[in-house]
Structures are given as C-alpha cells and as structure tokens.
Amino acid sequence: IPFLSIFHKTYNTQTPIKFSMWFVQKILGFNRSAYWPMHFTSQVGNIANIYAGIETSPGYMPGCYIQSEGKIYIGDYTQIAANVGIISANHSVYDNRTHSEARDIKIGSYCWIGMNSIVLPGVELGDFTIVGAGAVVTKSFPDGYCIIAGNPARKIRELEYKQCVKHRSKHEYNGYIPHHRFEEFRKKRLKL
C-alpha cells in the first residue's frame, strides 16, 4: 500500500514518521495543518510562513513553540530538541496586545538546536551550528560550523569543517511530502 510506505521509508531517519504521531496529528487534529510530523504538545502557527527542509520537523519533540509571524527557514537534516522556542516577532513593549515588527529567522542545514533553547527574531544560524541547551539566541552566527551557548548565546567553539558530515537519506522527505514533490507543494501552499 503506497500510503504505508512512508512509515517504512523514514524508519531509520532522524525524524521517523510514526503511525501513532501521524494518527494524532492528521486524524485527531493536533497540529493538523503542519506538513511535517509534530508532537501533540508542541505548538505552531502560520504554517505557510515555515520552510522545513529534508528530515527537519520543528516540534517533532514535545513542548516546542514555533511562532511564525515572520518567515522561518530551516535547512535540511536539522534537529530541534524538546521545549525549543523559535519566535519571529515579540510583543510590543508599548502595547502587549500587538506584536512588534516580524523578522525572518534562518537556520541552516545540519544544525542541532538544544533542549530549552530560544531562537529570537532576525537570527540567522549557518550550517552546522549547535545551540547548547537553554541558550537564548539573540544575534546571528551566519558562518555556522560552531557551538553557541549561554544567555545571550555566544560562540564557545569552532567546528572542524572537514569533520562535519553532510549525510543524505535514501528516501528524502520534507515532512510528509516526498522531496521531489516539495517545490510544487511550496509554490501552492507556502508564502516563501
């Protein structure tokens, strides 16, 4: 059955599509509009403003909050741990009923966003950026290949470029969508 092949094809990937997660999301309706697998305790808004790369599923782990007043781009094979916040607009300091100007967030490929960390509006993280658990990322690290940590996050280590592995999976999916069909989906359903 073609429908069931997605569970088998993604079984050994970083973000396997599990039947139980799909059922809770697509049948019971928790985060139904997301085109990638999400845990039922995670929250996401404005799906059309989010680009999730191959094997990248923001909110796959429990307790994540993805607020996309601005656009959010997350590259291929990027992992996002539990309780991560990705926030593209803050409340106005003068009127907390409104948001300040939204600013896009760009997170590269092969990144790892650690548990309980927060990525704030306007941040750009280059490929192979590791964000330490609990970090608050207020500024950009566009060159990537580093580990950042703290509040506010700062670079604590450079990574050896030649040691960073750009792996690929045999079957590539952007969430539930086969990668070879994703551009068509993106043009029809996303605002980026």
Side-chain angles (χ1 to χ4, degrees):
I1 301 173
F3 165 72
L4 296 177
S5 69
I6 195 170
F7 304 112
H8 175 71
K9 288 178 179 178
T10 64
Y11 179 75
N12 286 320
T13 65
Q14 296 178 128
T15 51
I17 297 172
K18 301 174 184 173
F19 180 81
S20 59
M21 186 177 276
W22 173 86
F23 184 84
V24 169
Q25 187 176 0
K26 298 301 182 182
I27 303 301
L28 298 183
F30 291 89
N31 297 308
R32 178 178 281 148
S33 62
Y35 60 87
W36 63 85
M38 285 187 68
H39 193 271
F40 71 93
T41 62
S42 291
Q43 295 180 31
V44 65
N46 207 357
I47 299 295
N49 276 351
I50 301 173
Y51 175 94
I54 297 166
E55 278 184 45
T56 297
S57 296
Y60 185 89
M61 299 301 290
C64 293
Y65 177 72
I66 299 99
Q67 180 258 56
S68 56
E69 296 293 319
K71 293 175 174 39
I72 297 174
Y73 302 85
I74 308 173
D76 299 339
Y77 303 99
T78 286
Q79 295 299 295
I80 299 167
N83 301 318
V84 166
I86 301 174
I87 303 163
S88 63
N90 284 315
H91 288 280
S92 166
V93 295
Y94 299 106
D95 182 355
N96 66 7
R97 297 171 298 173
T98 63
H99 283 100
S100 60
E101 181 182 338
R103 294 171 54 209
D104 295 350
I105 293 173
K106 295 179 182 176
I107 300 172
S109 296
Y110 303 100
C111 294
W112 173 16
I113 313 300
M115 186 174 187
N116 294 320
S117 60
I118 301 169
V119 179
L120 292 176
V123 164
E124 180 179 352
L125 302 176
D127 295 348
F128 287 97
T129 299
I130 298 171
V131 178
V136 179
V137 186
T138 61
K139 68 177 188 174
S140 294
F141 297 86
D143 295 335
Y145 296 91
C146 64
I147 300 172
I148 62 175
N151 180 5
R154 60 181 179 79
K155 189 183 298 185
I156 61 170
R157 181 176 164 195
E158 297 276 344
L159 297 179
E160 296 289 334
Y161 179 83
K162 291 180 181 178
Q163 291 185 10
C164 294
V165 179
K166 292 185 178 183
H167 59 85
R168 305 226 47 106
S169 292
K170 181 178 179 183
H171 304 284
E172 295 186 324
Y173 284 84
N174 292 71
Y176 294 111
I177 303 158
H179 181 64
H180 69 276
R181 294 185 181 154
F182 186 69
E183 192 57 34
E184 178 184 343
F185 170 85
R186 181 180 179 184
K187 287 176 183 176
K188 288 181 182 177
R189 304 279 299 278
L190 303 182
K191 296 178 182 174
L192 31 75

